[in-house]
Amino acid sequence: MKAIETHDLFKRFENVEAVKGINLEIEEGELFGLLGPNGAGKTTTISMLCTIVRPTSGSASIYGHDVKKEPGTVRGLIGIVFQDPSLDDNLTGRENLDFHGRLYKVPRSEIAGRIKDVLELVELSDKADVIVKKYSGGMKRRLEIARGLLHHPKVLFLDEPTLGLDPQTRRHIWEYIERLNKEKQITMILTTHYMDEADQLCDRIAIVDHGKIVAMDTPDNLKHDVGGDVVIMTVPNGGEQLKVKLEQLEFVKSTQLVDGALRLSVDKGETAIPIFMDVARQEGIAVPSISLHEPTLEDIFIKYTGREIRTQEAADGFANMHARGRR
Amino acid sequence: MPNGRMEFMGDVYSIWLREMIRYVRARSRVVTSLITPLLWLIIFGSGFSSSLSFGGPGGSTNYINFLAPGILGMTVLFTSIFSGMSVMFDKEFGFMKEILVAPVSRTSIVLGKALGGTTQASIQALMILALSTFIGVRISGTLGLGAALVLILVTIFFIGMGFVGLGISIASRLENIEGFQVVSNLLVLPIFFLSGAFFPVTSLPSWMKFLVNINPLAYGVDALRYAVTGLHTYALTLDLAVVFGFFVLMTVIGSILFRNVR
Ligand SMILES: Nc1ncnc2c1ncn2[C@@H]1O[C@H](COP(=O)(O)OP(=O)(O)O)[C@@H](O)[C@H]1O
Ligand SMILES: [Mg+2]
């Protein structure tokens, strides 16, 4: 049985079609990413899977339990870290977790131990009895992640888990997420509009734009799909000669000589480089340096949507940080 | 299904517990909210006591004793409706999502919040009652002290649950805190002034009397006044039937409206 399955999932708000037919099949233990710009419909998709937004049409199920017909069962199976803050600022960290444990029927005999475990995991043990109002943004986010794990959900949803956080905290949170996914075999769906986050964390990614999935695969496959790797060789002398030789290799897709740098597009850069070096040596041409550039998810996003995700990021990040600050 | 019922009670308790932790943590607000009703009681009560006295079926009393049950009713009214605002705060600050996505029934959330608000209202009212004895208020009705206290508690519980239910109903329909304040203020003042808290309702013009008669707080204040002074306008059974009916009605309406909360 799939951990998560959706069929033509569709959501229309009054005048916005937020999600326009999403089909997903996610395996148990997978760390799956929904990558897309702001307003793409990621949060709405997750909200439908979590039973807090009712789909307009289509269906979705968690471990075979339909989100419309059995919302109660689904809620017992999942955990979620919301995009927007959702802690009680007037309670301490421990009290927030304790309340969560009660709502999810964690046995009272186990609750103290579990709270201790999750707090250690996110390194908040020494702040457990501080009122959440006094936490920093990163601490609050970590507490929310700890809370999402407290009841040992089978599926954990993470909606923009590192939005508006500083790079160091982001990296920290990535580590937690990876460890949890590997050690506890928790199926995870993560949404993000950060390319590096999706790339680093996810087993598989669905690129979402305007409520639709435009591409779905592993990050590596997606990148190969765009045109393999880019190899750049600096060739001070004999660039033209080398270019002609290398063009004859069947795995070289395209070549370009710019300012003494030879750029070659290939399927797999790792295996191409030794061959390129051999050819250069045979021709007696010196190659002082060589580098390999993998296409980024940014390239993939551009290929499928014709737009850059990055241009929106700065403005969105600011708006979102603003919203978080207000709450 | 006893197992399900146990879970339901557990959920109600969890929601209630959080409301109470927040209440205890807001100690300074709790204390300041005692000041207004006490000032009403001291200024109006002492001011008019020398010149006014009230009689009727069940005995007679001075104004401060007459007013005290009204102030109790006012305290319950204000505290209860305000605690309906906790729904508003939870929506505004995002905590509502944490509650709504949890495997708990919507009804248990409403009941937990209503019981939390009512517990707070009861504590506030009992503190007012205790403090009012220092300015001369006496439980002097025909009931014994024990029976009077039981009647006071029962009445406070029902009107408290009713008005928290009203607060939750309003909060479930509105999007922001300002809107909640406007609507609740529009309701609270007429409910308060037309409850017989300040003056006997027997000799009012008929249009006012009509409004008093459809005001559930009037029956609550009447029962409280019977407990404190022995005076009353309506039969005690009618008072209790109305406040009980109000509690049931508002809890049902609150639960239905709360289902649409996002
Ligand atoms: N409750 C709502 N009512 C109306 N429109 C909404 C609501 N929630 C989201 N939308 C709209 O749906 C679209 C998708 O939003 P969202 O799912 O939040 O995107 P993302 O999480 O990818 O940024 C946006 O245009 C947004 O304005
Ligand atoms: Mg979002």
Side-chain angles (χ1 to χ4, degrees):
Chain A
M1 189 190 303
K2 306 282 179 205
I4 299 169
E5 227 177 318
T6 74
H7 289 290
D8 298 328
L9 200 56
F10 194 101
K11 179 66 192 181
R12 180 188 296 112
F13 293 108
E14 296 89 58
N15 44 11
V16 193
E17 291 182 347
V19 174
K20 296 185 266 196
I22 285 204
N23 292 290
L24 291 173
E25 282 190 8
I26 297 170
E27 303 289 339
E28 177 154 58
E30 217 179 330
L31 208 174
F32 188 89
L34 291 174
L35 173 69
N38 244 26
K42 305 181 297 292
T43 298
T44 308
T45 303
I46 285 214
S47 304
M48 287 191 281
L49 295 176
C50 290
T51 76
I52 49 177
V53 166
R54 206 180 155 76
T56 309
S57 66
S59 68
S61 59
I62 312 284
Y63 283 97
H65 299 283
D66 190 275
V67 296
K68 274 192 207 169
K69 294 183 199 123
E70 307 170 72
T73 313
V74 169
R75 288 185 198 129
L77 292 171
I78 62 172
I80 174 164
V81 176
F82 295 101
Q83 178 176 330
D84 298 320
S86 63
L87 295 166
D88 187 336
D89 278 5
N90 290 303
L91 301 187
T92 65
R94 192 189 305 283
E95 285 165 346
N96 267 287
L97 295 175
D98 186 75
F99 180 73
H100 185 87
R102 289 175 185 277
L103 292 188
Y104 285 81
K105 283 72 179 180
V106 175
R108 294 310 289 169
S109 54
E110 285 181 33
I111 190 72
R114 289 222 203 159
I115 289 178
K116 187 166 164 286
D117 288 348
V118 292
L119 284 174
E120 264 166 28
L121 185 72
V122 298
E123 291 169 34
L124 281 176
S125 306
D126 54 332
K127 302 287 182 200
D129 297 306
V130 174
I131 302 265
V132 168
K133 223 176 251 173
K134 298 190 177 146
Y135 281 29
S136 69
M139 285 159 67
K140 285 186 187 172
R141 206 63 187 144
R142 272 144 60 201
L143 182 63
E144 285 180 315
I145 292 176
R147 185 178 68 180
L149 295 167
L150 186 76
H151 58 286
H152 296 174
K154 290 180 79 78
V155 178
L156 181 64
F157 296 93
L158 298 149
D159 197 359
E160 310 257 5
T162 65
L163 188 72
L165 298 180
D166 62 275
Q168 196 191 341
T169 312
R170 290 180 67 201
R171 224 158 281 279
H172 235 74
I173 288 179
W174 289 355
E175 281 167 26
Y176 299 135
I177 292 173
E178 261 179 334
R179 222 165 79 211
L180 286 167
N181 175 247
K182 298 236 155 47
E183 287 175 11
K184 311 228 178 209
Q185 278 296 302
I186 299 175
T187 309
M188 295 186 178
I189 289 207
L190 169 148
T191 81
T192 185
H193 63 276
Y194 295 125
M195 298 291 169
D196 52 348
E197 185 159 287
D199 200 359
Q200 158 115 19
L201 286 178
C202 299
D203 299 324
R204 252 181 344 135
I205 295 172
I207 296 182
V208 190
D209 193 37
H210 296 306
K212 286 192 178 131
I213 293 178
V214 294
M216 176 158 57
D217 212 326
T218 64
D220 282 346
N221 284 348
L222 282 172
K223 286 183 233 163
H224 285 304
D225 192 36
V226 141
D229 293 332
V230 182
V231 176
I232 302 175
M233 308 167 84
T234 47
V235 193
N237 299 301
E240 271 304 328
Q241 186 191 341
L242 188 59
K243 182 171 182 276
V244 171
K245 281 283 168 200
L246 294 181
E247 265 170 355
Q248 291 163 8
L249 297 168
E250 59 169 303
F251 61 82
V252 174
K253 289 181 179 169
S254 66
T255 58
Q256 236 182 332
L257 186 62
V258 189
D259 296 335
L262 187 56
R263 303 171 67 96
L264 301 115
S265 178
V266 295
D267 271 330
K268 282 196 158 274
E270 309 91 285
T271 52
I273 284 175
I275 300 170
F276 291 164
M277 291 309 284
D278 283 346
V279 174
R281 210 169 296 127
Q282 280 161 21
E283 297 295 315
I285 296 170
V287 180
S289 83
I290 185 161
S291 63
L292 173 66
H293 292 264
E294 291 181 0
T296 60
L297 287 176
E298 184 75 46
D299 300 311
I300 299 153
F301 190 79
I302 294 167
K303 175 179 168 185
Y304 284 106
T305 66
R307 289 177 291 118
E308 276 190 49
I309 207 171
R310 203 174 276 151
T311 48
Q312 299 180 331
E313 199 170 289
D316 292 346
F318 181 76
N320 281 319
M321 263 160 65
H322 201 69
R324 286 184 78 82
R326 193 174 58 86
R327 272 143 201 267
Chain B
M1 201 172 65
N3 197 16
R5 192 173 309 148
M6 283 291 291
E7 260 190 14
F8 181 83
M9 299 303 284
D11 293 339
V12 171
Y13 171 73
S14 307
I15 304 280
W16 174 87
L17 185 66
R18 167 173 170 256
E19 299 292 325
M20 294 315 291
I21 292 175
R22 287 170 62 93
Y23 174 71
V24 171
R25 205 143 283 167
R27 245 173 268 116
S28 56
R29 201 190 67 219
V30 170
V31 172
T32 35
S33 68
L34 290 177
I35 293 173
T36 315
L38 276 178
L39 281 179
W40 282 85
L41 194 57
I42 292 168
I43 293 169
F44 283 92
S46 312
F48 287 118
S49 252
S50 47
S51 54
L52 292 176
S53 74
F54 295 91
S60 71
T61 190
N62 61 0
Y63 187 64
I64 198 161
N65 272 341
F66 178 89
L67 183 61
I71 295 298
L72 289 185
M74 161 182 146
T75 307
V76 173
L77 172 70
F78 282 37
T79 317
S80 308
I81 294 233
F82 180 79
S83 84
M85 194 136 118
S86 78
V87 170
M88 227 57 241
F89 278 122
D90 284 352
K91 284 204 285 189
E92 182 93 356
F93 293 96
F95 196 73
M96 188 58 84
K97 280 179 297 190
E98 152 81 352
I99 301 176
L100 290 181
V101 80
V104 297
S105 75
R106 301 298 186 254
T107 312
S108 66
I109 299 171
V110 170
L111 271 183
K113 282 202 171 275
L115 284 169
T118 304
T119 310
Q120 294 166 21
S122 307
I123 294 172
Q124 299 282 109
L126 291 180
M127 284 198 280
I128 296 283
L129 185 63
L131 290 170
S132 68
T133 60
F134 291 106
I135 48 172
V137 173
R138 290 288 172 269
I139 294 183
S140 54
T142 43
L143 296 169
L145 181 63
L149 283 176
V150 170
L151 177 57
I152 289 171
L153 276 175
V154 168
T155 308
I156 287 177
F157 177 80
F158 288 138
I159 54 180
M161 289 295 280
F163 284 115
V164 185
L166 179 61
I168 291 176
S169 304
I170 299 168
S172 300
R173 294 304 301 267
L174 297 179
E175 288 303 324
N176 59 53
I177 289 179
E178 291 75 20
F180 181 90
Q181 279 166 336
V182 169
V183 174
S184 57
N185 278 333
L186 274 177
L187 283 172
V188 161
L189 289 181
I191 290 175
F192 174 44
F193 286 120
L194 293 169
S195 67
F198 289 117
F199 41 78
V201 295
T202 36
S203 50
L204 293 175
S206 60
W207 65 270
M208 251 171 105
K209 195 147 189 189
F210 170 75
L211 291 176
V212 171
N213 283 339
I214 60 165
N215 179 358
L217 186 63
Y219 299 85
V221 167
D222 196 53
L224 292 172
R225 185 162 290 142
Y226 179 68
V228 175
T229 67
L231 294 174
H232 60 95
T233 306
Y234 311 106
L236 182 61
T237 46
L238 178 63
D239 288 337
L240 290 177
V242 170
V243 292
F244 179 75
F246 177 59
F247 145 65
V248 172
L249 183 70
M250 289 324 299
T251 305
V252 170
I253 293 178
S255 301
I256 292 171
L257 293 181
F258 186 78
R259 274 190 220 145
N260 299 321
V261 168
R262 284 278 168 267

